[in-house]
Amino acid sequence: MLLIYVLFGCIVGLFAGLTGAGGAVFLVPILHYTLERQGVDPSLVHHMAIATTMANILFTSSMTTYSHNKRGVVPWNSILWMVPGAFLGSFGGSFSTAYIPARPLILGFGVFLIYAGIQMFVEIKPKASRHMPGKWGQIILGLFVGVFSGLLGIGGVMVSMPILIICGLPILSVIAAAGTLSFPIAVAGCVGYMLTAWGHPDLPPYSLGYVYLPALLGFVPASLVFAPVGVRLTHALPPKIVRKGLGVLVFFVSYRMISGAL
């Protein structure tokens, strides 16, 4: 299991640096697979999968933000006020999952995967016709991205990227900004997922609430090593072929998750 976690940590780190995404499309399904085979209570598996994924995003988003910032492409002035909105929204969304059964969350995540796959395969790019809104507009956008991300256990990149593109930011700045917004989303999400299940008697050993530490032991080091590699590829190579290949994989994973939940 640890080798599986390390392998997917490498893939997620590369993907995070390449596209700005935190890798939830890969980590949540693989955690479903591993946790089920470790005998974890089925009613806890999905909550643990999204919580542990959120914890890993905390580390990958830090590394990708640092790498993009060194290259001067993070548009801090344009997204500053989205940060508090994203933080509050993510905490509210993640905290509320304790009161939602696992099956609707799995179906919701499966639908999100279809959307993410379309974005990666077709590479939808809405026409940039507007500018970034002011303070309150940014806070509202951040709240929207944060709530959706907290509920599904994602870093919010697939939600924030189309919004930032429509607001007129260049593509490299969009990728950098989306990855940067993943950090406050991940911080708030981790806190929410840990608090809602703290001391739960059916959780496996070495869990902090819904966050499963042994998985992080494999994910985090590998992700941190490969995230800067993905950033360099973003600035050196067109990611179209990679995105389309990953899109096919995401469609397959979404089918497996939705069919399993149904």
Side-chain angles (χ1 to χ4, degrees), residues 76-188:
W76 294 108
N77 292 334
S78 299
I79 64 169
L80 181 62
W81 287 104
M82 288 185 71
V83 172
F87 181 90
L88 293 174
S90 178
F91 180 79
S94 60
F95 195 83
S96 65
T97 58
Y99 309 99
I100 303 175
R103 186 177 180 186
L105 289 174
I106 295 172
L107 290 173
F109 190 83
V111 172
F112 163 75
L113 287 180
I114 294 175
Y115 166 69
I118 292 173
Q119 278 204 325
M120 284 188 283
F121 192 81
V122 182
E123 204 171 356
I124 297 173
K125 292 183 179 180
K127 183 179 179 181
S129 56
R130 300 181 182 180
H131 300 288
M132 286 296 297
K135 173 182 175 180
W136 289 108
Q138 289 185 35
I139 291 175
I140 292 172
L141 289 179
L143 279 170
F144 172 77
V145 173
V147 168
F148 193 85
S149 304
L151 283 172
L152 295 183
I154 59 176
V157 168
M158 296 299 177
V159 184
S160 60
M161 283 183 71
I163 294 173
L164 296 172
I165 289 172
I166 291 173
C167 290
L169 294 180
I171 188 61
L172 283 179
S173 294
V174 167
I175 293 173
T180 300
L181 288 171
S182 294
F183 182 79
I185 289 172
V187 172

Side-chain angles (χ1 to χ4, degrees), residues 159-227:
V159 184
S160 60
M161 283 183 71
I163 294 173
L164 296 172
I165 289 172
I166 291 173
C167 290
L169 294 180
I171 188 61
L172 283 179
S173 294
V174 167
I175 293 173
T180 300
L181 288 171
S182 294
F183 182 79
I185 289 172
V187 172
C190 284
V191 173
Y193 283 117
M194 287 190 290
L195 290 178
T196 53
W198 195 268
H200 195 296
D202 295 327
L203 287 170
Y206 310 111
S207 299
L208 291 179
Y210 283 127
V211 178
Y212 188 51
L213 296 180
L216 287 183
L217 180 64
F219 287 149
V220 171
S223 297
L224 293 182
V225 169
F226 277 82

Side-chain angles (χ1 to χ4, degrees), residues 238-249:
K240 287 185 178 181
I241 295 178
V242 176
R243 290 174 65 91
K244 290 181 179 180
L246 292 173
V248 173
L249 176 60

